[in-house]
Amino acid sequence: MNQNNQADAELTKYVANFVVETKFDDLSSEVIELGKKSILDGFGLALSGSVARSGELVRQHLDDLGLADGAATVIGGGRKVAPRFAAFANGVGIHADDYDDTQLAVAKDRVYGLLTHPTAPALPAALAVAELVNGTGKDLMLAYHLGVEVECKIAEAIAPRHYQTGFHATATCGTFAAAAASARLMGFDVPTTQRALSIAGSQSAGLRENFGTMTKPFHAGRSSESGVAAAQFASYGWTAAARILEAPRGFFSAAGGGYDQNAILNKLGAPWTFASPGISIKPHPSGSLTHPGMTEMLRLIKEHDIRAEDVERVRIGTNSNMPNALIHHRPKDELQAKFSMEFCMAILLLDGRAGLNEFTDAAVERDDVKAMIEKVDFVIDDEAEAAGYHLMTTLIDIHLKDGRKISGRADFGKGSPAFPMSYDEVAYKFRENAEFAGMARARADEIVELVRGLERLASLDDLTSRLISVG
């Protein structure tokens, strides 16, 4: 992959033009409906994330800032604050449980075939600024889609080294998502949008060493906040470089050592990433790499009536890259459990489910969970390795005490474009997350229907008034 430095490429200007010129009518009905599922999912995750320990600390931070009332809703937080801080709080909330959607990659050289969690940085910024400018449902949806598309195509273009050497692409590329969404809602022209993207690029940060800690969702929140702040500074007249993406000292070079111009130039909205290769919605609050195996394990448990007490050993085989992210083989808390293949398999064998109620410190500390984890061998498998790093191929062998071996293989999990969740299935997940946060079923049902008809909302007040608190 070579760096493309031609001045006439004007890549950042191309991105800015896309943000400024795209209309709601340019979104296909397919993309609109796919986006609604991720928006509803994001709102539910912001609610459940608001009652996580990180949500409590975010509220403490907002208190310490001594903020006056603002225009933007902190979902589940019972308050409105300045847009950048609402974007931060809601971004942390959406990513708090690692239960948010994931972008599939086009290129075969992308580890795991995944790139970013697109909604966590894009939606909070779009919602916060849409409230600021009294936007409509269509305004919110268009800004969200523009942010996601910019984020995903930037992630697709940057060299794989970016992620492999430790950058968290959701944090780095997500900053551009938030800036793009904010710029559109603020009505910027092309040069001002270029400056917003440039200011965002200088705030792009996030390191994978912090996976399994509260700082991973902090990345999502800060990227969303940074994008909003970038747009605000651009609106004041703050100066910035015009070619922040493609310049020799710009984002692609500094953060990745290169990029594939063909992955982004003339590719924004052609096709929309939501349409191809697609975005997955998570069925479990754990790292995406666990989901093919978890989907297959659940199938095997149900099909063969496997009981935990009958299990002798379990072998989970993947390619050699997946253990680089699933690093917690003996997790100590629920955050580490999200990146533990052993825990994910063990909890399914014991409880037959793996939702927010199973990813808790108490569950990690259970004696039966610890004992089952010891029976799970997470290994590199030649067949999975041969399938390629762009897949999350997972092979399962369950050895039972009666001598039987039950085996299965999965390349994709439930919620992926190959095995999608319907709007009603996402609504079921939303209701579970809203209930987890303490929201009454009737209010959750109202939000489900408001998002279902989001493009018809002349004002966002009916929606945000129901999201602001769970009471």
Side-chain angles (χ1 to χ4, degrees):
M1 180 172 293
N2 297 317
Q3 176 73 39
N4 295 274
N5 291 328
Q6 300 95 325
D8 59 359
E10 295 188 295
L11 185 58
T12 306
K13 184 176 181 180
Y14 162 69
V15 174
N17 267 298
F18 173 76
V19 171
V20 171
E21 295 176 1
T22 304
K23 307 294 191 293
F24 184 84
D25 289 344
D26 295 324
L27 299 171
S28 69
S29 58
E30 175 195 16
V31 168
I32 289 170
E33 295 308 314
L34 289 169
K36 286 179 186 177
K37 290 194 290 185
S38 281
I39 290 170
L40 180 65
D41 189 44
F43 287 153
L45 295 167
L47 286 167
S48 59
S50 73
V51 298
R53 172 62 174 155
S54 56
E56 178 184 339
L57 296 180
V58 166
R59 287 190 293 277
Q60 180 179 334
H61 176 61
L62 296 179
D63 289 340
D64 288 347
L65 290 173
L67 300 173
D69 291 343
T73 299
V74 177
I75 296 175
R79 64 169 69 177
K80 289 197 171 192
V81 295
R84 64 180 293 176
F85 299 115
F88 171 73
N90 294 333
V92 172
I94 289 174
H95 202 45
D97 293 303
D98 224 289
Y99 206 179
D100 47 323
D101 59 6
T102 50
Q103 168 198 358
L104 273 65
V106 173
K108 302 297 185 184
D109 61 352
R110 300 314 165 103
V111 178
Y112 322 131
L114 300 174
L115 290 170
T116 71
H117 294 273
T119 292
L123 181 59
L127 180 65
V129 181
E131 288 189 271
L132 176 69
V133 302
N134 296 315
T136 67
K138 283 186 176 182
D139 294 333
L140 170 62
M141 294 170 73
L142 177 58
Y144 165 74
H145 276 287
L146 292 172
V148 167
E149 184 68 0
V150 167
E151 174 184 0
C152 291
K153 291 301 199 294
I154 288 175
E156 192 74 59
I158 196 167
R161 192 202 82 180
H162 179 67
Y163 187 86
Q164 291 167 352
T165 58
F167 280 107
H168 182 195
T170 299
T172 55
C173 302
T175 308
F176 293 103
S182 301
R184 176 54 191 238
L185 286 160
M186 292 182 181
F188 290 173
D189 59 14
V190 170
T192 310
T193 301
Q194 285 179 262
R195 287 191 285 109
L197 293 170
S198 188
I199 298 165
S202 279
Q203 299 179 86
S204 175
L207 299 172
R208 289 171 56 213
E209 183 62 23
N210 273 309
F211 280 20
T213 75
M214 290 181 189
T215 303
K216 186 172 189 281
F218 178 93
H219 292 167
R222 180 48 63 90
S223 67
S224 195
E225 176 190 357
S226 295
V228 174
Q232 289 177 318
F233 273 91
S235 74
Y236 306 150
W238 202 268
T239 63
R243 300 174 57 241
I244 197 63
L245 292 174
E246 70 272 28
R249 294 170 296 182
F251 175 73
F252 284 136
S253 178
Y259 72 107
D260 179 4
Q261 181 173 275
N262 294 326
I264 183 169
L265 189 63
N266 300 321
K267 294 293 176 61
L268 290 169
W272 292 88
T273 301
F274 262 111
S276 179
I279 290 171
S280 293
I281 292 179
K282 285 190 175 186
H284 306 289
S286 56
S288 297
L289 303 182
T290 65
H291 293 170
M294 294 177 79
T295 298
E296 183 64 6
M297 177 62 82
L298 275 174
R299 186 188 72 80
L300 294 173
I301 290 170
K302 293 175 182 177
E303 183 175 319
H304 298 278
D305 193 26
I306 298 171
R307 300 179 185 277
E309 59 267 24
D310 298 330
V311 174
E312 183 72 34
R313 303 274 330 156
V314 178
R315 180 185 184 275
I316 307 295
T318 69
N319 66 47
S320 57
N321 268 314
M322 287 172 67
N324 291 333
L326 303 177
I327 59 178
H328 297 291
H329 305 294
R330 299 296 182 269
K332 303 299 183 185
D333 57 36
E334 59 97 1
L335 288 172
Q336 291 187 2
K338 295 175 184 298
F339 296 91
S340 171
M341 181 70 85
E342 294 88 342
F343 174 86
C344 292
M345 296 297 108
I347 201 70
L348 287 175
L349 286 163
L350 288 163
D351 293 0
R353 59 186 182 275
L356 289 174
N357 287 315
E358 285 68 51
F359 282 86
T360 63
D361 289 349
V364 172
E365 293 166 3
R366 281 166 41 187
D367 290 340
D368 60 340
V369 171
K370 292 179 180 179
M372 185 61 76
I373 284 175
E374 293 299 324
K375 296 182 179 183
V376 179
D377 297 320
F378 180 26
V379 301
I380 297 169
D381 184 275
D382 290 342
E383 182 180 342
E385 190 80 1
Y389 296 155
H390 65 295
L391 297 177
M392 298 179 285
T393 301
T394 305
L395 296 105
I396 300 175
D397 293 314
I398 305 170
H399 298 268
L400 301 178
K401 292 177 180 177
D402 63 7
R404 287 183 296 152
K405 183 178 81 168
I406 298 172
S407 301
R409 168 180 168 156
D411 296 314
F412 304 99
K414 177 66 175 174
S416 69
F419 193 5
M421 297 170 71
S422 67
Y423 187 86
D424 287 339
E425 286 175 318
V426 176
Y428 180 86
K429 175 185 172 182
F430 169 83
R431 291 184 181 100
E432 281 195 329
N433 291 334
E435 181 182 3
F436 186 83
M439 179 175 282
R441 175 62 180 266
R443 180 181 289 194
D445 288 345
E446 290 170 351
I447 295 170
V448 167
E449 295 311 312
L450 285 168
V451 175
R452 196 190 300 270
L454 187 54
E455 69 271 34
R456 297 191 295 273
L457 296 185
S459 166
L460 296 173
D461 290 348
D462 283 348
L463 178 62
T464 57
S465 66
R466 288 166 171 80
L467 288 169
I468 193 168
S469 67
V470 297

